[in-house]
Short mmCIF file of all heavy atoms in Angstrom, two decimals:
data_model
loop_
_atom_site.label_atom_id
_atom_site.label_comp_id
_atom_site.label_asym_id
_atom_site.label_seq_id
_atom_site.Cartn_x
_atom_site.Cartn_y
_atom_site.Cartn_z
N LEU W 728 -0.76 7.20 17.44
CA LEU W 728 -0.50 6.77 16.07
C LEU W 728 0.95 6.31 15.90
O LEU W 728 1.22 5.33 15.20
CB LEU W 728 -0.81 7.90 15.10
CG LEU W 728 -2.28 8.31 15.00
CD1 LEU W 728 -2.46 9.46 14.02
CD2 LEU W 728 -3.15 7.14 14.62
N ALA W 729 1.89 6.99 16.57
CA ALA W 729 3.29 6.57 16.50
C ALA W 729 3.48 5.20 17.14
O ALA W 729 4.24 4.36 16.64
CB ALA W 729 4.18 7.60 17.19
N LEU W 730 2.76 4.94 18.24
CA LEU W 730 2.83 3.63 18.88
C LEU W 730 2.30 2.54 17.95
O LEU W 730 2.90 1.46 17.84
CB LEU W 730 2.03 3.65 20.19
CG LEU W 730 1.93 2.32 20.93
CD1 LEU W 730 3.29 1.92 21.48
CD2 LEU W 730 0.92 2.41 22.04
N LEU W 731 1.19 2.81 17.27
CA LEU W 731 0.64 1.84 16.33
C LEU W 731 1.61 1.56 15.18
O LEU W 731 1.78 0.41 14.76
CB LEU W 731 -0.70 2.31 15.78
CG LEU W 731 -1.85 2.37 16.79
CD1 LEU W 731 -3.08 3.00 16.16
CD2 LEU W 731 -2.15 0.99 17.33
N CYS W 732 2.27 2.61 14.69
CA CYS W 732 3.27 2.42 13.62
C CYS W 732 4.45 1.60 14.12
O CYS W 732 4.98 0.74 13.41
CB CYS W 732 3.74 3.77 13.09
SG CYS W 732 2.50 4.65 12.15
N ALA W 733 4.90 1.86 15.35
CA ALA W 733 6.01 1.10 15.91
C ALA W 733 5.64 -0.37 16.09
O ALA W 733 6.46 -1.26 15.84
CB ALA W 733 6.44 1.71 17.24
N LEU W 734 4.41 -0.63 16.50
CA LEU W 734 3.96 -2.02 16.64
C LEU W 734 3.96 -2.73 15.29
O LEU W 734 4.35 -3.89 15.19
CB LEU W 734 2.58 -2.07 17.28
CG LEU W 734 2.51 -1.74 18.77
CD1 LEU W 734 1.05 -1.69 19.23
CD2 LEU W 734 3.29 -2.75 19.58
N MET W 735 3.50 -2.04 14.26
CA MET W 735 3.49 -2.65 12.93
C MET W 735 4.90 -2.90 12.41
O MET W 735 5.17 -3.92 11.78
CB MET W 735 2.71 -1.78 11.94
CG MET W 735 1.22 -1.76 12.22
SD MET W 735 0.47 -3.40 12.32
CE MET W 735 0.77 -4.02 10.70
N ALA W 736 5.81 -1.95 12.67
CA ALA W 736 7.19 -2.14 12.23
C ALA W 736 7.84 -3.31 12.96
O ALA W 736 8.64 -4.05 12.39
CB ALA W 736 7.99 -0.86 12.47
N ALA W 737 7.49 -3.51 14.23
CA ALA W 737 8.03 -4.63 14.99
C ALA W 737 7.40 -5.95 14.54
O ALA W 737 8.05 -7.00 14.56
CB ALA W 737 7.81 -4.41 16.48
N ALA W 738 6.13 -5.93 14.14
CA ALA W 738 5.44 -7.16 13.74
C ALA W 738 5.79 -7.58 12.32
O ALA W 738 5.66 -8.76 11.99
CB ALA W 738 3.93 -6.97 13.87
#
Side-chain angles (χ1 to χ4, degrees):
L728 294 179
L730 176 69
L731 292 174
C732 289
L734 288 174
M735 291 306 298

